[in-house]
Amino acid sequence: MTSTATRPRGARARAAVAAKTLRTDRWWFAPLITVVGLTAWVAYATVRVYMHNWYWVEDFHYLTPFYSPCVTERCVEGAAHFGRVLPDWWIIPEAAFTLPFLLLFRLTCYYYRKAYYRSFWLSPPACAVPDGHQSYSGETRFPLLGQNLHRYFFYAAVIISLINSWDAVLAFHSPEGFGFGLGNLILIGNVVMLWAYTISCHSCRHIIGGRLKHFSKHPLRYRAWTAVSWLNVRHMQLAWITLGTLALTDFYVMAVAAEWFPDLRFIN
């Protein structure tokens, strides 16, 4: 404790608080829900990726995003839009060219960093709650140093979103030609949400509006930056929504492919 002789005039001694935190609210609830939600989603996605089955509906050209683009020798001919170039090893997922980049894009996302830092690493679990670690080095050491690559993973995410959009367009198919069903609505909804999450990324916002000294001289970029900024405020919600739409889309395609129930058709 600072002595009276060295303490600045008017300063008061800090209160001796023995408790780890004085918070009386359920501060642990948000980290707990995050752990449960992310763990459940990762478990579901891992099981589905390594099922190697029920990912393609031939009649309607439905392809789940977990298997797009399908590039292994296991892929059925209709689903392999970009060729089958990887061997038929069970450890290699059908979408081996895209899944690693999607995972890295989300792992390095600013919101997801906050989510798993607080929930899985307890660093810290909540405001005014002590950190679960003895020391803090920020993101200056390996592997957290790789978080700075997020801006590059953004470009990969844009390409993957384009592929998912192409899959949604190809799905307007039926044995009679053009067709439209509930699966199309789910695929389109998922693509729209994925685009919203992708372009609401902080890196996208900087790419559009960064390094400009005068917005007045770049009115189109200013309008685009304003729109992206509006989405950026909702980046957290979009991060969770897209986890839901991805799981829903995959489950629906799986269910129709496995013939658990038929697709609800509106046209053909």
Side-chain angles (χ1 to χ4, degrees):
M1 181 181 296
T2 307
S3 66
T4 337
T6 58
R7 187 184 309 151
R9 181 176 299 179
R12 297 180 179 179
R14 296 186 63 180
V17 180
K20 289 186 176 181
T21 177
L22 295 180
R23 291 185 61 168
T24 57
D25 62 321
R26 296 189 300 173
W27 58 264
W28 47 266
F29 185 72
L32 176 63
I33 290 298
T34 302
V35 169
V36 172
L38 291 180
T39 302
W41 193 91
V42 170
Y44 171 83
T46 303
V47 170
R48 277 294 292 137
V49 164
Y50 286 103
M51 283 180 67
H52 305 304
N53 197 10
W54 298 334
Y55 57 87
W56 170 251
V57 180
E58 177 65 32
D59 287 344
F60 311 127
H61 289 188
Y62 292 163
L63 177 62
T64 171
F66 285 178
Y67 285 71
S68 175
C70 207
V71 293
T72 68
E73 294 176 352
R74 284 187 305 269
C75 297
V76 299
E77 185 176 355
H81 302 150
F82 297 91
R84 292 173 286 193
V85 297
L86 295 181
D88 182 8
W89 296 344
W90 73 269
I91 196 65
I92 301 179
E94 276 71 9
F97 284 163
T98 56
L99 289 179
F101 292 102
L102 284 177
L103 176 62
L104 289 170
F105 177 63
R106 299 226 174 206
L107 278 176
T108 58
C109 165
Y110 287 100
Y111 166 69
Y112 282 114
R113 291 189 215 179
K114 169 190 171 183
Y116 63 78
Y117 284 0
R118 287 190 170 189
S119 56
F120 289 91
W121 294 351
L122 304 177
S123 183
C127 295
V129 178
D131 197 307
H133 301 78
Q134 295 297 324
S135 61
Y136 174 76
S137 60
E139 297 175 343
T140 61
R141 298 180 181 179
F142 181 85
L144 296 185
L145 191 61
Q147 303 284 31
N148 294 322
L149 297 175
H150 178 65
R151 69 195 74 176
Y152 302 108
F153 297 138
F154 164 75
Y155 296 115
V158 169
I159 295 174
I160 296 169
S161 295
L162 288 172
I163 294 174
N164 290 330
S165 300
W166 179 242
D167 292 337
V169 171
L170 292 181
F172 286 95
H173 180 275
S174 77
E176 290 78 28
F178 175 81
F180 181 78
L182 178 58
N184 295 100
L185 292 178
I186 294 176
L187 285 168
I188 293 172
N190 178 59
V191 165
V192 170
M193 290 295 102
L194 286 178
W195 273 115
Y197 168 70
T198 302
I199 65 176
S200 69
C201 168
H202 297 74
S203 294
C204 178
R205 185 170 179 264
H206 176 73
I207 290 169
I208 290 177
R211 299 190 177 185
L212 290 181
K213 294 183 178 179
H214 305 285
F215 269 131
S216 59
K217 296 181 179 180
H218 304 273
L220 293 181
R221 289 184 64 179
Y222 175 70
R223 291 182 182 179
W225 179 83
T226 302
V228 170
S229 297
W230 182 84
L231 285 173
N232 181 258
V233 176
R234 296 154 179 81
H235 196 55
M236 178 186 72
Q237 291 87 341
L238 291 169
W240 282 101
I241 289 172
T242 49
L243 292 184
T245 59
L246 281 167
L248 173 63
T249 304
D250 176 78
F251 181 82
Y252 188 85
V253 173
M254 174 177 64
V256 175
E259 298 183 350
W260 295 344
F261 53 75
D263 182 37
L264 176 61
R265 305 299 293 175
F266 305 126
I267 301 176
N268 292 334

